[in-house]
Amino acid sequence: LMNNGKHLSEGFTITYTGTVYPKYQDPEPLFKALHELTNEGIIEREEINVDFYGRNLNFISKTIGNYHLEDIVHINGLVSRDEVVRKQRASQILLLLSWNNCDEKGVIPAKLFEYFAAKRPVLSIGLCGGGEVQRILTETSAGIDLTEIPEIKKEIMNSYSEFKNKGRIQYRGNSEVEKYSQIEMTRKFAAILDEIT
């Protein structure tokens, strides 16, 4: 279903849904960027909200504390599938934490395709740029894959400025996104199985 913006959050929201794997995914670059942006007065603390929904997320609490972001970053625990979908579609930005093993740049998290269904801009953050996630986000114009703190700050600043001016962040995904829909991926998979048999 297309997200026409009617159900977007009123605040500047960044949302992550799912598990975070401590050895392979790291939200710290985002936290560092937010810490700097709020300290510099570029983003008003009361206007931004970062929500994590999922299981086993408590280990990031210490990092949140290290950057004094307890009033901005919230760990919400598990919610129902329907609620996850609602939160994704209401968010101004969806956060994807890319795999930090640079030998596995070909790994594409299933969450990316889930986010595509929400029709909201994707901000992918990880230590290893230039992999399949970056290629797909560039191809679809559905988001951006970043590795360095200055570029993360710049992207958040640009998004925040758009939000302040327009009250929402526009989704810019193009028709290539449809190639990655469940229906289209299932059709391709079925064709491959037919070929094999």
Side-chain angles (χ1 to χ4, degrees), residues 118-188:
K119 305 288 186 189
R120 300 305 303 137
V122 176
L123 172 59
S124 173
I125 293 175
L127 297 178
C128 309
E132 282 299 293
V133 170
Q134 184 182 64
R135 182 191 66 76
I136 291 172
L137 287 174
T138 301
E139 175 192 13
T140 59
S141 299
I144 191 165
D145 180 58
L146 303 173
T147 59
E148 302 296 330
I149 304 298
E151 59 187 13
I152 294 168
K153 282 179 67 177
K154 184 178 178 183
E155 179 63 22
I156 293 172
M157 281 169 53
N158 290 342
S159 296
Y160 181 68
S161 177
E162 181 180 351
F163 173 77
K164 290 292 282 182
N165 289 329
K166 300 180 179 176
R168 66 189 299 264
I169 299 170
Q170 182 182 343
Y171 174 68
R172 295 176 171 84
N174 60 38
S175 60
E176 292 296 305
V177 170
E178 299 309 318
K179 289 196 327 192
Y180 300 101
S181 70
Q182 275 189 324
I183 293 170
E184 185 60 21
M185 296 290 273
T186 302
R187 188 190 66 75
K188 287 178 182 174

Side-chain angles (χ1 to χ4, degrees), residues 6 16 18 30 37 45 47 88 93 134 136 152 157 183:
K6 286 182 181 175
Y16 180 91
L30 173 67
L37 287 167
R45 298 183 75 92
E47 291 187 345
Q88 288 173 349
I93 296 173
Q134 184 182 64
I136 291 172
I152 294 168
M157 281 169 53
I183 293 170

Side-chain angles (χ1 to χ4, degrees), residues 49-64:
N49 198 56
V50 181
D51 280 311
F52 283 78
Y53 295 93
R55 69 178 78 220
N56 304 327
L57 296 173
N58 289 333
F59 76 93
I60 64 174
S61 294
K62 183 180 178 186
T63 311
I64 293 167

